[in-house]
Amino acid sequence: MADANPTVHRAHWNSRLGFILAAAGSAVGLGNIWRFPYLAGENGGGAFLVLYLAIAFTLGVSVLLAELAIGRLGQRNPVGAMRALAGGPWTAAGYLGTATAFLVLSFYSVVGGWTLAYIVKSATGTLGGESAEAAKLVFGALVGGAAEPVIYHGLFMALTAAIVLRGVGGGIEAANKWLMPALFLLLVVLVLRAVTLPGAAKGLAFYLTPDFSKVTPATVVAALSQAFFSLSVGLGAMITYGSYLDRRGGNLPRSAFWITGIDCSVAVLGGLLIFSAVFAFGHDPAAGPGLTFVTLPTVFHQMPGGALFAVAFFLLLALAALTSAVSLLEVAVAYLVDERAMPRRRATLGLGLAVFFAGIPSALSLGPWSSYTLYGRGVMDLLDDLTVKVMIPLGGIVLSLFVGWILADRAAAALAGPARPLWLRAWIAMCRYVAPAAIGWVMVAGLWG
Ligand code: TRP
């Protein structure tokens, strides 16, 4: 097939391993270590884990493969790829995804900033781990402040832009090649420490023994939307990373399974770490979003060598968030570079600054601007709801339908040549019917709840 635009020299990954680590770096983020454990804690532990893994390895991996296929065939950012492959109204899906990436990054970076602040607090021994109340006060003072949340958000965006500035192979791939193994190693050390704490066995039992009587429709909704968020699908981040693959190179389904496998492993390990520690010290596993920032400091405080583990943990969280933020920024940067012929440097600095300003209302929304609400939700919560509950699922539905109905033959030929093995037919059926129906149901159920 002729190249959509043969004159453009597009940057590519240096190796298949580099690509897989970068895509896994996008997937592995706050979603795995912060969000997944508290959702599992609120939804009964083991049953949620089983459900989550089942969804990730069926629906999740299918949509992930769909995005990678769009990117590799289109050799463009989401807007350009949809335009090159189909055009017409489908191009709108590319714009929707790019706008979603911008919005997600604007508040993701605020939470990323909190993790940077917590590195400083754990290094200076000011986490407030002496008691649950003190830890709550420290967290409240940080997120409820005015200067600190904005400054750390700016710092986090600067780090993100510094990596994206260096480009695909030299920046994103090179950074992930170091950060991902470091993160995995750090996580394994922390898990070993946590599971050998006296009393950890209760946490392991809660987390690893499924009680399916606890599964409700709300559990399924939570598991599915978490799987999509965690796998970084639904807004074209994986289209963008797929577009830096050689059109013929590599085994895409195998890559999709590797990325899903790494992402799920980190979530499972994150759960092992948090539940062992939380149960060992008698905390409440259903403490919600505060589980990481409020409960863990008290756990570290009571733990031998806890100060060191605290620094390591928040460093881990910040690194994971950084490699995800890089992929979100790259979606919008790739659009300006590909479609507007803007130099990468200008695109990155301009967008980095724009995202910084766009994130300021979110950074202030738990403090000085907490009185600006709609339906009782502040700016950050509203943006989170709008993107995670509406825009990402909508993107997932449209991209699945696109691959299932429009791109099916071209994608099949690219992935399997003339053969039509069972997995391929199953994947196309997933994209055509199962994924759009399941995501649509979750969207409606989620908005209802
Ligand atoms: N997957 C990341 C996490 O779990 C967040 C993220 C990065 C993301 N890129 C994305 C979510 C694209 C949706 C779409 O923290």
Side-chain angles (χ1 to χ4, degrees), residues 43-56:
N43 287 285
F48 184 84
L49 174 65
V50 171
L51 201 62
Y52 176 81
L53 291 176
I55 290 172

Side-chain angles (χ1 to χ4, degrees), residues 210-278:
D211 172 3
F212 287 104
S213 67
K214 297 245 175 68
V215 173
T216 62
T219 320
V220 185
V221 170
L224 199 146
S225 53
Q226 170 62 14
F228 275 67
F229 182 77
S230 187
L231 287 171
S232 291
V233 294
L235 54 73
M238 291 298 179
I239 295 181
T240 311
Y241 276 15
S243 78
Y244 299 128
L245 284 168
D246 195 277
R247 194 170 271 166
R248 279 157 296 276
N251 181 328
L252 220 49
R254 192 186 298 163
S255 300
F257 271 101
W258 267 105
I259 296 161
T260 307
I262 295 173
D263 189 50
C264 288
S265 309
V266 173
V268 168
L269 287 171
L272 282 178
L273 164 65
I274 294 201
F275 290 118
S276 306
V278 162

Side-chain angles (χ1 to χ4, degrees), residues 221 389 441-449:
V221 170
K389 289 189 184 158
W441 171 71
V442 160
M443 234 178 116
V444 171
L447 289 175
W448 221 255

